Amino acid sequence: AQSVTQPDIHITVSEGASLELRCNYSYGATPYLFWYVQSPGQGLQLLLKYFSGDTLVQGIKGFEAEFKRSQSSFNLRKPSVHWSDAAEYFCAVGSTSYDKVIFGPGTSLSVIP
Amino acid sequence: KAGVTQTPRYLIKTRGQQVTLSCSPISGHRSVSWYQQTPGQGLQFLFEYFSETQRNKGNFPGRFSGRQFSNSRSEMNVSTLELGDSALYLCASSLGTGVGQPQHFGDGTRLSIL
């Protein structure tokens, strides 16, 4: 069955530190991959997406993600975190085989000064 | 360009009542999807409408229904409300349909059932 896992429920980092949020999926073929961010009281905002081509994709707000087919992973990274990055982050996977987009459970990010 | 607009932002209902939520997509977007977000279950797909037709449906009971109008605006209806229906209901629009389409989300309707 298709699934999306985000192993870290909650992460706390210091402002200025680097960040990596993990995402793993189980699908047969290369799916469409997305990262969204949700600030409190708001909807989700698309950070970046991967469909094909270069496995390192750049997104908004200084985020990037790397697709690793061998590990079925699509981890999100940021070299230096800002306090405004505190939010919930969702990895999402779209499969043409199942014709659905599945969201991971989310990772809550806290940033300490 | 205006974003996705959901109304109302907050709703309080009692068990057994019914509720209708509204979603206005970004201008030019023809696909509207609805999601239920709860702390325990996360984001769960309810259904997707494209060109006034339900294109896809999640695993929810028939009490949850929706429709889309010719201007792409969409409504979601929940009948015979249960306590477990308390959630944030999110609407997302996209230009076209298909799992590769990036979705643009509204800020949601917070539904509380007493």
Side-chain angles (χ1 to χ4, degrees):
Chain A
Q2 53 186 354
S3 67
V4 183
T5 57
Q6 294 180 247
D8 304 305
I9 296 173
H10 185 85
I11 285 182
T12 299
V13 299
S14 298
E15 191 168 17
S18 63
L19 171 71
E20 182 169 28
L21 302 181
R22 296 181 290 165
C23 172
N24 295 92
Y25 63 89
S26 66
Y27 282 95
T30 300
Y32 296 93
L33 300 164
F34 307 87
W35 274 100
Y36 288 87
V37 60
Q38 184 179 33
S39 297
Q42 296 184 13
L44 281 70
Q45 180 184 22
L46 179 68
L47 285 174
L48 46 78
K49 59 185 185 291
Y50 173 79
F51 294 164
S52 64
D54 192 348
T55 56
L56 184 64
V57 293
Q58 302 297 319
I60 62 172
K61 304 185 180 188
F63 285 93
E64 65 177 27
E66 185 172 15
F67 168 61
K68 292 186 177 180
R69 184 192 307 275
S70 61
Q71 299 176 19
S72 295
S73 70
F74 188 56
N75 293 349
L76 182 71
R77 301 195 294 247
K78 187 170 185 178
S80 178
V81 171
H82 188 262
W83 63 266
S84 61
D85 292 325
E88 187 93 15
Y89 290 81
F90 294 91
C91 177
V93 180
S95 164
T96 54
S97 301
Y98 294 98
D99 197 24
K100 287 187 194 302
V101 175
I102 303 296
F103 285 80
T107 296
S108 177
L109 173 66
S110 296
V111 180
I112 54 177
Chain B
K1 197 182 240 187
V4 177
T5 304
Q6 291 189 246
T7 56
R9 287 296 310 274
Y10 302 93
L11 263 179
I12 299 176
K13 293 286 187 179
T14 57
R15 282 183 299 172
Q17 288 186 310
Q18 75 165 18
V19 67
T20 299
L21 312 182
S22 180
C23 173
S24 294
I26 290 173
S27 177
H29 285 196
R30 296 171 61 193
S31 172
V32 173
S33 297
W34 288 89
Y35 293 86
Q36 182 194 66
Q37 185 177 26
T38 59
Q41 299 296 318
L43 270 158
Q44 293 190 288
F45 172 73
L46 281 156
F47 27 67
E48 178 195 4
Y49 285 86
F50 180 76
S51 293
E52 301 179 66
T53 301
Q54 187 180 86
R55 184 187 168 276
N56 210 341
K57 190 178 188 307
N59 189 27
F60 278 82
R63 301 185 297 107
F64 292 82
S65 63
R67 59 178 176 168
Q68 187 180 34
F69 302 95
S70 58
N71 61 358
S72 294
R73 190 178 70 85
S74 177
E75 288 182 347
M76 190 191 94
N77 184 272
V78 188
S79 62
T80 319
L81 286 165
E82 301 176 359
L83 290 177
D85 297 333
S86 293
L88 180 67
Y89 290 88
L90 292 166
C91 164
S93 74
S94 55
L95 271 172
T97 189
V99 296
Q101 292 284 329
Q103 297 181 79
H104 301 261
F105 285 80
D107 288 339
T109 294
R110 173 76 61 184
L111 176 62
S112 299
I113 311 301
L114 304 179

